[in-house]
Amino acid sequence: MTYDIAIIGGGPAGLSAGIYGARAKLSTVIIEKMYPGGQAAITHLIENYPGFVDGIGGSELTESMKNQAERFGAKILNGEVEDIKKQASLFYVKLKSETVEGKSIILAMGAEPRKLDVKGEKEFTGQGVSYCATCDGAFYTDMPIMVIGGGDTAIEEAIYLTRFASSVTVVHRRDQLRATKILQDRAFKNEKIKFIWDSVVKEIKGKDMVEEVVLKNVKTGEESSVFVNGVFSAVGYVPNTASIKGLVKLNDRGYVITDDKMATDIPGIFAAGDIREKSLRQVVTAVSDGAIAAVEAEKYIENQEA
Ligand code: NAP
């Protein structure tokens, strides 16, 4: 069948687009390579999504979004996009096992954690190196761990990890955090959290599991070792745009460029959520993007068929 809207990515942006598309009685498919919910689903607690006074678990929130999209008739399809092509007025989304046809496309593949790109990182991923405190924190009960980064994610994860770890050392490449003040205040007050400033990771070492992290002070060049069992890296995100290079216009950091109607430079292709060039990447802005993209996709289809 040919779908009216083929949404790629089942995070908050894709699910919101699915809710709006399906509720407008458009045939809507959401293609997701893992499980719906995206990065938000692995966030322990989302405190700033309006409507939840005490916050809400990320998996609970995104599960509700998925159920809501399905209630209106959106189909969730498991698969990884290999290629997207336009022929005449239709788009062909190639997955491993099938090709999905759509009259319009919404790109909502989000972003994934940036790698540190240091010796030992790859070897010890899953054996002491993690990119998700909510997923792996409990493995480090009563053990010393390290968090790399100074943004909201790093500080939020450091605070969360103090529930399990004996100590949390935050390593940041500058001497000032990027994280919001409320998170900074909480972290500075937490006795389990220590900070190492102006430093980057040079190497992660161990036998079967992580045992040691070699740091380099960026001001003095001095190297030092910290002995920890876990390293949680939170140094930002990179957009998941590898499969769409050459399809739509990207900025120099790889994010999709859209206008305020979520339209890319290719008519019929829209983008929503963290994959877009934008100033604020949050669940609340992702769901807003998704809603706009679905409504604009509907207008695009109507104009094509008029
Ligand atoms: P981010 O804001 O981009 O911060 C990344 C941090 O990692 C920065 O402190 C950066 O240092 C550091 N960094 C980057 N590359 C590095 C490298 N190669 N080596 C060492 N350090 C490196 O990313 P984020 O914290 O994941 O947040 C992403 C977005 O989600 C932000 O918009 C954030 O506000 C949002 N977010 C919000 C919440 C919340 O509202 N509760 C929670 C999580 C995330 P510099 O500071 O020196 O650049």
Side-chain angles (χ1 to χ4, degrees):
M1 79 175 270
T2 302
Y3 289 96
D4 291 315
I5 309 180
I7 300 162
I8 328 254
L15 292 172
S16 167
I19 292 167
Y20 275 76
R23 191 166 178 271
K25 302 267 178 254
L26 300 170
S27 58
T28 304
V29 63
I30 302 171
I31 302 165
E32 167 58 49
K33 69 173 174 178
M34 302 225 299
Y35 45 84
Q39 293 290 325
I42 55 168
T43 302
H44 169 65
L45 185 69
I46 298 177
E47 277 191 318
N48 50 8
Y49 189 75
F52 299 93
V53 179
D54 300 316
I56 181 166
S59 62
E60 193 188 334
L61 179 63
T62 55
E63 179 72 17
S64 295
M65 291 180 188
K66 172 189 152 283
N67 293 340
Q68 200 177 353
E70 285 182 319
R71 177 164 84 84
F72 290 121
K75 181 178 176 188
I76 312 243
L77 186 67
N78 193 255
E80 189 163 357
V81 172
E82 294 182 343
D83 188 33
I84 301 171
K85 278 202 166 66
K86 187 175 187 185
Q87 256 172 26
S89 62
L90 285 186
F91 295 96
Y92 295 86
V93 182
K94 190 174 174 298
L95 314 178
K96 214 174 215 123
S97 53
E98 61 185 299
T99 296
V100 175
E101 282 176 36
K103 294 179 187 169
S104 67
I105 299 280
I106 297 176
L107 303 169
M109 294 92 92
E112 63 177 29
R114 176 182 289 127
K115 301 290 182 291
L116 290 166
D117 219 5
V118 296
K119 200 167 165 210
E121 179 180 29
K122 211 170 167 190
E123 297 87 312
F124 289 109
T125 294
Q127 267 141 323
V129 172
S130 170
Y131 303 90
C132 174
T134 318
C135 318
D136 299 329
F139 294 130
Y140 299 92
T141 301
D142 296 331
M143 295 182 200
I145 57 152
M146 181 179 280
V147 171
I148 321 292
D152 284 332
T153 305
I155 302 310
E156 217 168 58
E157 297 214 332
I159 295 166
Y160 173 74
L161 287 164
T162 59
R163 291 164 186 231
F164 311 103
S166 55
S167 69
V168 177
T169 303
V170 174
V171 175
H172 183 37
R173 65 182 179 184
R174 292 187 291 135
D175 61 1
Q176 263 188 336
L177 297 176
R178 179 180 292 277
T180 45
K181 182 86 170 56
I182 186 171
L183 288 174
Q184 292 197 25
D185 289 348
R186 281 185 205 163
F188 290 141
K189 271 194 214 138
N190 193 315
E191 285 176 0
K192 272 192 175 179
I193 302 179
K194 306 181 273 204
F195 290 87
I196 297 181
W197 303 108
D198 299 317
S199 298
V200 292
V201 174
K202 194 171 170 226
E203 188 178 348
I204 300 168
K205 291 179 168 176
K207 289 192 189 86
D208 301 327
M209 298 287 289
V210 167
E211 291 171 10
E212 178 184 348
V213 181
V214 182
L215 300 177
K216 185 179 172 188
N217 184 301
V218 292
K219 285 188 174 154
T220 63
E222 201 179 310
E223 290 186 13
S224 60
S225 276
V226 181
F227 296 89
V228 290
N229 299 110
V231 178
F232 287 81
S233 176
V235 294
Y237 290 86
V238 287
N240 283 321
T241 43
S243 63
I244 53 158
K245 279 213 172 87
L247 178 72
V248 292
K249 202 165 173 195
L250 307 179
N251 73 7
D252 56 359
R253 291 167 61 219
Y255 289 94
V256 178
I257 299 171
T258 68
D259 63 14
D260 60 0
K261 292 179 173 163
M262 308 301 134
T264 68
D265 60 321
I266 302 295
I269 304 186
F270 301 83
D274 285 3
I275 199 168
R276 278 180 64 222
E277 177 180 74
K278 64 197 285 191
S279 62
L280 183 63
R281 293 192 176 85
Q282 296 273 290
V283 179
V284 73
T285 60
V287 297
S288 163
D289 286 1
I292 296 169
V295 170
E296 293 302 323
E298 183 181 10
K299 287 184 196 160
Y300 165 81
I301 296 166
E302 275 170 8
N303 285 338
Q304 289 294 105
E305 292 176 351

